[in-house]
Amino acid sequence: MGSIDQAMQSDHERLDRILAATAQAVEAGRWQEAREALTKFRHGIEDGHMVVEEQTLFPAFEGWEGGSEHPLTALLRKGHQDLRIFFAEMAEAIGAEDAEEFSDLCSTVQIILRQHDAREESELYPFLAEVLADHGAAVAKEMERAARESRDE
């Protein structure tokens, strides 16, 4: 079992690959494949990755920093809200089979994710192994389980 920062970074990379596969399917006009890939991406990021961060990691970090919302976690939560809107718009573009709109949205999302993920990986995750009672082992295990399930789909 890896560390929490390794597990979360690995999940970022896994999700990036799924998003890239979605973009490739759109570019090739394989709309059903694009829909399925985007659904898999959204499930992994919205129902898995973001939930773990918002329900476990952010509160742990905030508790360590004094118990109230911290500027870093407030910024990351806002980023999650914004990304969810973009993901919905990407799904609409795929539904309309609008490759140009999807491409524009996807490019924006990839830039936002690179910046968002870099901030989490440099400012949040390194501290969490120290803060969490089990040094993040349970969260790392959960993220690894989710990644395995995703590959099996």
Side-chain angles (χ1 to χ4, degrees):
M1 177 172 28
S3 68
I4 189 165
D5 53 335
Q6 291 169 333
M8 297 304 286
Q9 183 175 350
S10 176
D11 202 47
H12 284 161
E13 293 165 359
R14 176 184 70 87
L15 293 165
D16 289 345
R17 287 189 300 271
I18 297 169
L19 184 57
T22 306
Q24 290 170 349
V26 167
E27 189 175 307
R30 297 186 311 263
W31 295 106
Q32 183 58 35
E33 182 182 329
R35 277 187 280 286
E36 291 168 5
L38 186 63
T39 297
K40 183 176 181 179
F41 171 77
R42 289 184 72 186
H43 173 70
I45 199 164
E46 292 182 273
D47 302 329
H49 193 94
M50 289 178 175
V51 168
V52 166
E53 289 177 340
E54 292 168 354
Q55 293 181 1
T56 302
L57 302 184
F58 295 173
F61 183 82
E62 291 161 347
W64 178 66
E65 284 287 322
S68 62
E69 189 171 274
H70 186 273
L72 174 61
T73 53
L75 179 68
L76 295 172
R77 280 187 179 96
K78 174 69 169 105
H80 287 181
Q81 291 172 348
D82 294 345
L83 284 164
R84 286 180 174 104
I85 293 166
F86 278 109
F87 301 156
E89 291 173 353
M90 291 165 67
E92 290 173 13
I94 288 175
E97 297 186 0
D98 187 339
E100 185 176 342
E101 177 70 8
F102 177 86
S103 179
D104 291 345
L105 290 164
C106 189
S107 294
T108 301
V109 164
Q110 288 171 323
I111 291 167
I112 293 169
L113 282 174
R114 270 194 298 277
Q115 294 169 345
H116 183 91
D117 294 354
R119 176 161 273 151
E120 289 177 341
E121 291 170 10
S122 67
E123 298 178 40
L124 179 70
Y125 302 154
F127 300 100
L128 289 172
E130 310 256 340
V131 174
L132 296 172
D134 65 352
H135 305 289
V139 173
K141 187 175 180 179
E142 175 62 21
M143 295 310 299
E144 291 165 359
R145 181 198 59 75
R148 277 193 308 276
E149 284 180 5
S150 176
R151 285 190 291 271
D152 293 341
E153 290 178 354

